[in-house]
Amino acid sequence: MGRRPARPAPPVLTLTNPPTQTNTPETVTFTATATESLVIAEGYQVDDIETLTNNAVTISGGGPNLLGLTWRSAFAALGSNSYTFNDGTPVPALGFAGQNPPNVDTFYQFFATIPGKSYTYSFDYSNNTSGLGATPSLLVATARSVPEASTWAMLLLGFAGLGFAGYRARGAATSIA
């Protein structure tokens, strides 16, 4: 029986303690494997702020921005100080400021995709915006497809079947003894 090839890891852009920069274009490109995908941006900057402006997801090669007007968020339990702000584009910009590394604040958005098509998440990156010099910082940007509901249903059905088989096998073993 042939082995199924492993799925490639989702594309990730990681910036750890980068030099001071302003409006540096960054991109993460991925191929959709489902009808829904998401981008995730997480990070911190101690005693300063790093920002992601001009956030956009487009079909590679161009097209309309697929991101919506609202970012969802998950903030670190300690030291969170991140926020969204208006950068003059329809999609809010992201500001990361945290005081308790390695805890990160996370922003994310879901959007519709066409399986097999290539998409690009692009943004302009700035850090050390208060002029305090290089301070500890981290930014991780990821883009990936979300499994279809039917995939989750099959997974849960499979786990239920394994649980039932284990229950039956255990019941048969105790009745024989």
Side-chain angles (χ1 to χ4, degrees):
M1 188 151 92
R3 290 183 112 175
R4 177 182 283 186
R7 284 189 175 194
V12 176
L13 168 70
T14 303
L15 302 173
T16 305
N17 299 325
T20 299
Q21 51 196 294
T22 303
N23 294 327
T24 302
E26 299 287 356
T27 60
V28 178
T29 301
F30 71 103
T31 300
T33 58
T35 58
E36 185 175 51
S37 296
L38 79 153
V39 292
I40 304 167
E42 54 190 358
Y44 63 79
Q45 171 121 36
V46 176
D47 295 329
D48 213 328
I49 300 169
E50 59 185 357
T51 62
L52 280 62
T53 56
N54 298 315
N55 289 282
V57 171
T58 58
I59 291 180
S60 296
N65 189 348
L66 302 175
L67 292 178
L69 304 177
T70 305
W71 288 95
R72 296 180 186 183
S73 58
F75 295 126
L78 297 171
S80 175
N81 191 24
S82 297
Y83 56 91
T84 61
F85 63 97
N86 184 349
D87 64 353
T89 67
V91 179
L94 307 175
F96 291 95
Q99 305 303 317
N100 197 22
N103 297 314
V104 296
D105 292 329
T106 304
F107 292 98
Y108 59 99
Q109 276 200 42
F110 293 90
F111 52 94
T113 51
I114 301 169
K117 293 281 187 183
S118 180
Y119 293 83
T120 301
Y121 171 41
S122 61
F123 56 90
D124 294 335
Y125 176 80
S126 300
N127 66 340
N128 303 315
T129 58
S130 298
L132 299 175
T135 60
S137 66
L138 172 71
L139 173 75
V140 179
T142 308
R144 67 174 70 187
S145 290
V146 179
E148 305 271 346
S150 61
T151 302
W152 287 108
M154 290 298 289
L155 179 70
L156 293 174
L157 187 61
F159 282 137
L162 288 173
F164 181 71
Y167 170 78
R168 293 283 308 238
R170 190 172 351 141
T174 55
S175 64
I176 294 173

